[in-house]
Amino acid sequence: MNESSVKGSVTVRTVSARDGLPQQSERAVSVGQFGGMDVSATHVGIVDTGANDTHLRIANGTTVRSVGLKSNVSTPQTVELTERDGDLLVDFRAYPAASDVAAAYYKPRIGGQWLPARKYADGSHRNLTFWQGDAAPSGDGFVSVFAGQDLTSDQQPDVYAFKHRFHPDLTVNASVTAENVSVGTQVDVRYAVRNTGDAPAEASDLLVRSGDGPLKSVSIGSIPSGESVSGTATVTVDSTGTLSVVADAGSAVPELDERNNDDRALALDPDLNVTGMTAERANDTITVSATVTNPSGVRATDVAYRLGNGPNVQRYGTVSVLEPNATRTVNVSLPAAEADPAYTTRFEVTPNETDGDASDDTASRYLFRPDLALGEGQVGYYRTDGVVRASMLVSNEGLANATAEIEVRNASTGSLVASRNVTVAGSDSSQTTAFTEATVGLPGVSSGSRVETLVTAPGETALSDNVVVDEVELNTTLVPPSGDISASRSAPTVNESVQFTITNVTDADGRAVHTQWRVANTSAVDTGSLNWTGRSPGNHTVELVVVDDDGITSIVTRTVLVRPERPDVVLGSQAPRDLDRDGRFRDVDGDGTLTRNDVRTFFESYRNGSVRDNRFAFDFNRDDERIDILDVQALHADNEESSDERDEQ
């Protein structure tokens, strides 16, 4: 080393033989400042801690190499060079970034290749000093011995031994170069397997696989250290839309690190669409239903969704795996009090597009506003008491009730003829329509007059279908339609299905053109029957709305008793019985008859929780309240009446 090192460079002198004669060569190495330096027989190691970066530089008589360090090493402090059998081992001490703890590292150069820097000892605080002891080759690697001591304490030097075994380490890169790849396409998967380790890799198997499993196996021969093997494998893309390549699939190679053995070659995206959104109301709960489809040929894995309605309603969830061309309905429930009619309801899935168009990932509409309509044929005209009257059927597809204003104007002049307000009931479902009948007197209107009828409500979704223009045709013999309801069961039990059927529908002056079923939270439009299951005991009213071609409406009703299931409680010899199928289990002791013993047994047990949990079954006074002594008295009266009837017989 010459004096030029003070000026920021070092000259490396090496002596070698050429043509049998000694030969000396010199090479200048530029450095910022020296943090550490060592010399071996053929190399000089320098820690160059320049202003911009820090490097470990290794120089021989002809070349200078800047040795890469591990990414978390910021400042190397010392360097030790050891040569064994032509292999150069570089040991250095360094500080990880943002830490005052030093660690010892080694970086071997084997067969002309630098290996990754490996940490072989954890350090402690900056006053811990390491000394390189020696490094010796072994049959499958090398052994490094070194010492460390805290110079500021009485700690005895610690001696460390580190054995490094040479291993192969396979990495793989894969790609599909074909364009416009789709499910069912046959493609060539290109692969390149490289041995980045420091020992040869034996023969192994390479596997091309999809998201559903293996597709093709390829035999790979042995790969020397630092060498690569490449090739192609032809496979068909399945509905998962993914292709990956795994090196050493059978784990035949004792690798240094198997975490870098696979690479993704292809990943097709599905194309989820939100095709519709509806809502239903049940008591105080609204259930929003969104229809999600996967029209693509690629299986869609779990995709996140969001349902929003104004600032107070945000619901999140997951649409689970959806096969190609499949459809799923996602139901989201929320309290009716939280729904804000001033905002649209928006359902959207996380975009994962193949077509680049995310507009079909969202459905948005006003679900909680009224949506009134007045259609052709829904207004009829007749004269009573010398005044022409319009009878109309106002429909509402929205979930909200509305105070609607009906205005009738002269179609020629626009002058107001009559107006009135009417409460229009909301629908239980955005898929069905609720109807409200209203009548308006039309003073000054006669047969042949042209009138315009408009129905509006605050906050309504749309107005395009709210107006009808008619030429008044009087029908002085308007007769409402009629019909009956038949039931497949007269008194079904809870959770037992019953079918209601329209019978005997007639209209003396025309024909029935529209029907609607309504019972509890179920409705159906223009169907001849309705299947319904009662979920709670009690009397339920079934309504059948029949509308004729004059717009005249009739509502046919039928009350159906839904009986509770036999109580799972034994108060006497057996479980109670419902003797007359009215839903009240008066035979409390279960012996098949109503006697004083039933009254006595009920008196002794009416306070039991098991009795009060079956309120409808034991509500003998029919007050729909908590079971109490009044129900005992009512059972006693029923028994007395039954006894009198038996005595008369």
Side-chain angles (χ1 to χ4, degrees):
M1 190 180 307
N2 61 16
E3 295 298 327
S4 63
S5 62
V6 179
K7 300 178 182 179
S9 64
V10 65
T11 300
V12 179
R13 291 190 179 94
T14 59
V15 178
S16 62
R18 183 172 183 179
D19 298 329
L21 299 174
Q23 178 173 308
Q24 177 175 297
S25 62
E26 294 186 358
R27 184 176 182 84
V29 180
S30 175
V31 296
Q33 64 182 67
F34 301 150
M37 182 180 298
D38 192 27
V39 179
S40 72
T42 60
H43 292 78
V44 173
I46 304 167
V47 176
D48 180 3
T49 56
N52 297 323
D53 57 4
T54 300
H55 295 283
L56 192 60
R57 303 189 191 277
I58 305 296
N60 60 18
T62 58
T63 62
V64 178
R65 283 183 174 270
S66 179
V67 180
L69 307 178
K70 290 188 68 173
S71 59
N72 65 338
V73 176
S74 61
T75 310
Q77 297 295 307
T78 60
V79 59
E80 298 276 353
L81 303 180
T82 305
E83 291 183 76
R84 288 290 186 271
D85 298 333
D87 293 334
L88 178 65
L89 307 180
V90 181
D91 291 278
F92 58 94
R93 178 184 179 213
Y95 294 102
S99 173
D100 62 353
V101 177
Y105 295 82
Y106 72 90
K107 188 174 181 70
R109 179 174 171 83
I110 306 297
Q113 297 290 327
W114 287 107
L115 303 187
R118 312 268 173 79
K119 183 171 68 171
Y120 65 83
D122 289 324
S124 67
H125 295 287
R126 291 178 183 272
N127 52 15
L128 180 63
T129 300
F130 294 103
W131 294 276
Q132 174 69 38
D134 198 3
S138 62
D140 58 354
F142 65 88
V143 177
S144 179
V145 180
F146 61 96
Q149 182 181 18
D150 184 348
L151 299 181
T152 63
S153 69
D154 295 330
Q155 172 192 333
Q156 295 299 311
D158 295 320
V159 177
Y160 301 88
F162 177 77
K163 184 176 182 180
H164 172 74
R165 289 181 177 176
F166 296 152
H167 290 276
D169 189 9
L170 300 183
T171 63
V172 63
N173 290 313
S175 63
V176 172
T177 58
E179 298 181 356
N180 301 319
V181 176
S182 60
V183 172
T185 302
Q186 193 174 69
V187 297
D188 290 333
V189 178
R190 293 184 179 180
Y191 60 85
V193 182
R194 182 175 178 80
N195 180 6
T196 62
D198 41 29
E202 299 177 355
S204 61
D205 291 329
L206 177 140
L207 185 66
V208 181
R209 60 178 297 146
S210 74
D212 274 343
L215 295 178
K216 191 168 188 176
S217 179
V218 179
S219 296
I220 302 294
S222 61
I223 306 176
S225 174
E227 299 294 323
S228 298
V229 171
S230 60
T232 61
T234 303
V235 296
T236 300
V237 181
D238 65 14
S239 63
T240 65
T242 61
L243 293 175
S244 58
V245 175
V246 181
D248 188 26
S251 299
V253 179
E255 293 187 67
L256 181 67
D257 186 357
E258 295 184 350
R259 292 173 296 179
N260 54 4
N261 281 26
D262 62 90
D263 189 30
R264 179 67 63 87
L266 178 70
L268 299 180
D269 289 327
D271 183 17
L272 295 188
N273 296 343
V274 182
T275 58
M277 181 171 54
T278 61
E280 293 188 2
R281 183 193 300 271
N283 299 323
D284 295 329
T285 300
I286 292 176
T287 301
V288 179
S289 301
T291 302
V292 182
T293 64
N294 179 13
S296 69
V298 182
R299 177 187 304 162
T301 57
D302 293 354
V303 175
Y305 72 77
R306 181 185 75 89
L307 174 77
N309 169 247
N312 298 322
V313 175
Q314 300 291 326
R315 298 289 189 273
Y316 299 89
T318 301
V319 181
S320 56
V321 175
L322 201 58
E323 296 294 334
N325 300 311
T327 298
R328 178 164 299 124
T329 299
V330 180
N331 297 315
V332 183
S333 296
L334 60 144
E338 292 185 10
D340 193 334
Y343 294 92
T344 59
T345 300
R346 182 182 179 91
F347 183 92
E348 57 188 1
V349 294
T350 302
N352 56 349
E353 300 306 316
T354 56
D355 57 3
D357 180 10
S359 63
D360 53 13
D361 295 341
T362 301
S364 180
R365 62 179 290 194
Y366 286 103
L367 285 174
F368 310 122
R369 291 184 179 183
D371 186 9
L372 307 185
L374 192 62
E376 297 291 338
Q378 289 183 214
V379 182
Y381 303 92
Y382 61 96
R383 187 190 302 275
T384 58
D385 299 327
V387 177
V388 173
R389 300 181 186 278
S391 176
M392 64 195 70
L393 201 63
V394 181
S395 63
N396 184 4
E397 293 182 356
L399 299 186
N401 297 340
T403 300
E405 181 181 20
I406 300 173
E407 290 186 347
V408 182
R409 295 180 177 273
N410 185 303
S412 300
T413 66
S415 59
L416 181 65
V417 175
S419 66
R420 66 162 293 191
N421 291 336
V422 61
T423 299
V424 179
S427 175
D428 292 327
S429 170
S430 59
Q431 294 179 284
T432 60
T433 303
F435 292 90
T436 300
E437 193 276 334
T439 300
V440 181
L442 307 179
V445 172
S446 58
S447 179
S449 300
R450 286 180 56 79
V451 294
E452 177 185 88
T453 304
L454 173 68
V455 56
T456 58
E460 191 179 355
T461 302
L463 297 175
S464 59
D465 54 359
N466 290 32
V467 62
V468 169
V469 178
D470 283 332
E471 182 173 325
V472 176
E473 295 181 4
L474 295 181
N475 187 339
T476 57
T477 60
L478 290 181
V479 177
S482 62
D484 295 318
I485 301 172
S486 66
S488 61
R489 302 178 187 274
S490 59
T493 305
V494 168
N495 295 325
E496 186 177 34
S497 178
V498 58
Q499 184 180 66
F500 301 113
T501 304
I502 302 173
T503 61
N504 303 324
V505 175
T506 61
D507 183 31
D509 60 351
R511 60 187 179 87
V513 295
H514 176 75
T515 60
Q516 180 184 21
W517 291 99
R518 293 198 294 248
V519 54
N521 296 315
T522 303
S523 61
V525 176
D526 295 333
T527 60
S529 62
L530 173 70
N531 291 316
W532 177 74
T533 301
R535 304 300 182 188
S536 60
N539 290 312
H540 297 266
T541 300
V542 183
E543 288 187 350
L544 173 62
V545 180
V546 183
V547 185
D548 68 10
D549 52 358
D550 296 314
I552 303 302
T553 300
S554 292
I555 299 179
V556 183
T557 62
R558 173 173 180 150
T559 300
V560 59
L561 169 66
V562 177
R563 302 169 56 243
E565 296 177 334
R566 190 175 184 182
D568 186 18
V569 56
V570 177
L571 304 177
S573 60
Q574 299 182 51
R577 298 174 184 269
D578 179 6
L579 299 177
D580 56 2
R581 296 181 61 81
D582 69 345
R584 316 295 176 176
F585 287 73
R586 296 180 180 82
D587 180 15
V588 177
D589 60 10
D591 64 357
T593 59
L594 175 58
T595 64
R596 290 183 179 178
N597 189 58
D598 294 300
V599 180
R600 183 181 306 108
T601 301
F602 187 58
F603 175 72
E604 293 171 351
S605 57
Y606 77 90
R607 295 184 181 88
N608 292 355
S610 59
V611 172
R612 289 180 169 172
D613 288 342
N614 292 274
R615 185 174 65 181
F616 188 90
F618 298 114
D619 184 18
F620 299 130
N621 71 338
R622 302 175 184 268
D623 62 357
D624 198 28
E625 295 182 357
R626 181 180 180 184
I627 303 301
D628 54 23
I629 193 62
L630 297 179
D631 295 291
V632 179
Q633 294 172 357
L635 180 62
H636 173 71
D638 290 342
N639 177 60
E640 291 297 317
E641 182 179 347
S642 177
S643 297
D644 291 343
E645 291 176 354
R646 288 196 297 269
D647 291 343
E648 291 176 0
Q649 295 175 357

